[in-house]
Amino acid sequence: MQKQFYNIYKGHISISEFEEWLYKTQEIESIYGNDFYFSLLDLDYRNKYIKNELEKLIEREIPFGEFEQTRIISLLENIRYQQGDGVEILEQLYDDYCSGYSFLRFLGLTYITGIDAIPKIQQRDKWDKNEFDRKREILNSMNPKIINEARRLLSFFQNGLLKIIAENEYKDDRKEEDKIELNHIEKMFKD
């Protein structure tokens, strides 16, 4: 249930899909209570501002930090175990870095410097195929620095030193010397 709320909040499903699911899932009332469930049912899902109203209502009940943390950890594990498309994973981590997860700085900057020769990232269909393939090979090779950084960040999550508390907000209890991506990024690129 929480995953479905997260999906609508993040825009992974449409309003109509959410509304259909809502009417089929009466268990929401027993889990979250009458007030929340009836507030969801009372919304006008054809209103052009429904997304904003729905987000405000859901934010009060659903622990998005847990979902965000699970998502970030999953991306880092995909890097660690070299699963999936490395370029897409690094692109997502770059977006997350830009959205406020500054602990992803090294991975985000590695992505952007590996792809920087390509002028318009959003227009992949117009990229020079040879250049794109060369960049993809470099990033997909998952060089040891990228894998080591994923391992390093995963260890901080596992030890409870990094914790995502809300969307684009996190708690960082690491020692200053462990925040190398924030304080000495140039050292990371040289090592």
Side-chain angles (χ1 to χ4, degrees):
M1 236 179 267
Q2 286 183 346
K3 188 171 186 175
Q4 196 71 345
F5 287 121
Y6 181 77
N7 285 336
I8 189 64
Y9 185 82
K10 295 295 278 183
H12 298 302
I13 61 171
S14 70
I15 295 293
S16 61
E17 288 172 310
F18 177 79
E19 183 181 19
E20 184 179 324
W21 170 81
L22 175 66
Y23 289 117
K24 290 180 183 177
T25 314
Q26 296 174 354
E27 300 87 22
I28 296 169
E29 182 178 8
S30 61
I31 294 172
Y32 292 101
N34 294 351
D35 291 342
F36 179 66
Y37 183 58
F38 289 121
S39 294
L40 287 170
L41 292 174
D42 285 342
L43 292 174
D44 178 3
Y45 288 92
R46 285 167 219 28
N47 181 330
K48 68 179 181 177
Y49 301 109
I50 184 62
K51 183 82 165 116
N52 295 339
E53 292 176 36
L54 194 53
E55 284 175 0
K56 287 177 190 173
L57 187 59
I58 291 173
E59 281 175 346
R60 291 181 276 185
E61 292 290 329
I62 309 301
F64 288 107
E66 292 174 23
F67 285 102
E68 280 288 284
Q69 183 158 320
T70 299
R71 183 181 66 78
I72 295 292
I73 287 173
S74 175
L75 291 169
L76 293 171
E77 286 176 341
N78 284 340
I79 288 175
R80 179 181 181 188
Y81 298 112
Q82 298 183 43
Q83 298 172 335
D85 185 328
V87 172
E88 288 180 13
I89 293 167
L90 287 172
E91 182 176 19
Q92 180 59 59
L93 291 172
Y94 172 73
D95 289 344
D96 291 326
Y97 162 65
C98 292
S99 296
Y101 297 132
S102 56
F103 60 87
L104 295 172
R105 186 175 186 198
F106 178 77
L107 295 173
L109 294 178
T110 299
Y111 166 76
I112 205 65
T113 57
I115 215 84
D116 68 346
I118 300 173
K120 295 181 181 172
I121 293 175
Q122 287 79 18
Q123 297 177 353
R124 289 185 182 170
D125 56 323
K126 297 178 183 176
W127 288 356
D128 175 87
K129 177 145 175 54
N130 293 332
E131 187 174 11
F132 176 71
D133 288 343
R134 187 173 57 79
K135 295 292 184 185
R136 184 172 286 282
E137 277 180 41
I138 292 167
L139 291 172
N140 270 338
S141 69
M142 291 295 183
N143 71 49
K145 287 182 182 182
I146 295 171
I147 295 169
N148 287 337
E149 179 62 359
R151 281 189 188 128
R152 188 178 79 88
L153 292 174
L154 284 167
S155 73
F156 294 131
F157 278 111
Q158 290 164 351
N159 294 324
L161 298 173
L162 273 177
K163 181 176 175 129
I164 297 177
I165 53 176
E167 186 178 24
N168 303 322
E169 294 179 33
Y170 66 98
K171 185 177 176 191
D172 191 345
D173 291 330
R174 297 177 292 165
K175 297 175 190 170
E176 282 305 308
E177 60 266 18
D178 291 334
K179 299 177 185 181
I180 188 170
E181 77 283 354
L182 301 176
N183 303 319
H184 302 290
I185 190 83
E186 66 281 349
K187 184 176 190 267
M188 294 180 81
F189 281 108
K190 288 179 187 176
D191 290 344

